[in-house]
Amino acid sequence: MSASTIRSWVIGNWKMNPVQADAQQLIQNLKQLLQHGPIAEQDCQLGIAPVSIALLPVREQLEDAAVKVVTVAQDVSRFPATGAYTGEISADLLKDSSIQFVLIGHSERREFFGDGPAVVADKIKHALAAGLTVIYCVGESLEQRESGLAEQVVLQQICDVASVVKQEQWSNVMIAYEPIWAIGTGKTASPQDAQSMHAKIREGLQQIAIQAGNSAILYGGSVKPENAVELAACPDINGALVGGASLNAESFYQIAQAFAKTK
Ligand code: PGA
């Protein structure tokens, strides 16, 4: 499979937003846009990652959308199954609620909640064992980029989890490259820098396993309609993980259209 035949994904990461009424309106607006201008699944697949208490209502509200929009959990417990882990939601419980997708290793989890390499590896292991599809987030800080360490840091983050992914499970893993300095800052990596990092990630994945080389690699960090077309044109950028701009249905839709048209 060449990079260009990998299916595109555009996933909205709502983070700790919005209140219920706004979430309902947002989905309603998105459904209307998709009704009038459907985006074919083979051109670009869509996902929304709401707060955990909204996973089920959002999933239900999306059920009658004109095209499939999957519901994505923003995180998962490092512990499997069920048990005495107050406040946690395991991969098995997500699966039990028909939530099939999960973000793991987002830089905000790494920074504020202590999700280090061992924790993200546990989360990925249990999510894949439960049959979920994982969007594994990696990315370097500004300091690391300025010291020339960006590639090393990102490839290390991939290596941190490689040993817990079985060869046949790579088809259930996507990577989201999100340079930390570009998240929520309005600064985006240039398409050239993003493409170059994506190509390195692809190379790194291919060295781990042939199957891993076919994983979709999404870009994240201030993606908006104004920069989506250029990013989507890069051969190794197979989609986007969109934060701020996903809180506006029109912007999110336009980003998805950019990826659908280019791929
Ligand atoms: P942003 O967030 O688009 O607001 O930069 C992206 C993310 O954190 O996933």
Side-chain angles (χ1 to χ4, degrees):
M1 202 184 305
S2 78
S4 60
T5 56
I6 296 169
R7 287 247 204 116
S8 300
W9 277 91
V10 169
I11 297 176
N13 176 10
W14 284 2
K15 309 193 180 187
M16 201 169 72
N17 299 290
V19 298
Q20 279 191 64
D22 292 345
Q24 280 164 19
Q25 189 60 56
L26 181 45
I27 301 249
Q28 201 48 42
N29 295 346
L30 180 62
K31 286 200 313 193
Q32 261 165 23
L33 290 163
L34 291 170
Q35 180 77 41
H36 293 125
I39 293 175
E41 226 184 294
Q42 66 268 24
D43 294 335
C44 182
Q45 298 171 90
L46 302 182
I48 298 283
V51 292
S52 57
I53 40 170
L55 282 167
L56 297 186
V58 164
R59 199 201 70 203
E60 271 161 37
Q61 217 194 327
L62 285 169
E63 254 157 29
D64 63 352
V67 302
K68 186 164 153 198
V69 183
V70 304
T71 310
V72 180
Q74 293 180 10
D75 188 35
V76 67
S77 178
R78 74 181 295 193
F79 298 102
T82 53
Y85 299 107
T86 304
E88 290 290 271
I89 303 176
S90 70
D92 306 79
L93 291 178
L94 288 175
K95 180 81 177 174
D96 184 53
S97 290
S98 302
I99 303 298
Q100 298 281 354
F101 294 80
V102 62
L103 303 180
I104 294 180
H106 190 281
S107 61
E108 287 150 17
R109 300 286 329 162
R110 293 180 193 261
E111 184 180 351
F112 303 124
F113 303 97
D115 285 14
V119 173
V120 292
D122 280 351
K123 290 181 174 187
I124 291 186
K125 183 169 88 182
H126 296 309
L128 292 173
L132 303 184
T133 293
V134 168
I135 299 106
Y136 176 50
C137 306
V138 297
E140 81 286 357
S141 66
L142 186 57
E143 206 187 337
Q144 288 162 335
R145 175 153 286 260
E146 285 175 346
S147 345
L149 293 172
E151 277 172 19
Q152 193 183 321
V153 167
V154 167
L155 292 177
Q156 182 59 48
Q157 288 170 335
I158 306 267
C159 287
D160 288 343
V161 304
S163 66
V164 298
V165 185
K166 299 185 183 127
Q167 295 227 345
E168 68 279 9
Q169 290 176 327
W170 278 105
S171 56
N172 288 334
V173 178
M174 295 182 229
I175 306 292
Y177 168 58
E178 300 200 298
I180 299 170
W181 48 270
I183 295 179
T185 57
K187 289 184 203 155
T188 326
S190 68
Q192 295 73 14
D193 284 350
Q195 164 56 30
S196 145
M197 182 63 89
H198 281 231
K200 287 277 177 252
I201 294 173
R202 174 103 47 225
E203 243 177 71
L205 290 169
Q206 275 160 349
Q207 279 167 20
I208 292 166
I210 296 171
Q211 295 92 325
N214 296 331
S215 302
I217 308 174
L218 319 187
Y219 171 79
S222 298
V223 178
K224 32 190 188 275
E226 295 77 21
N227 56 28
V229 173
E230 264 196 304
L231 289 165
C234 299
D236 288 297
I237 300 186
N238 313 117
L241 182 56
V242 187
S246 70
L247 295 170
N248 177 290
E250 181 70 44
S251 302
F252 183 66
Y253 176 75
Q254 283 178 20
I255 294 167
Q257 267 193 323
F259 278 89
K261 279 188 190 142
T262 320
K263 299 297 165 182

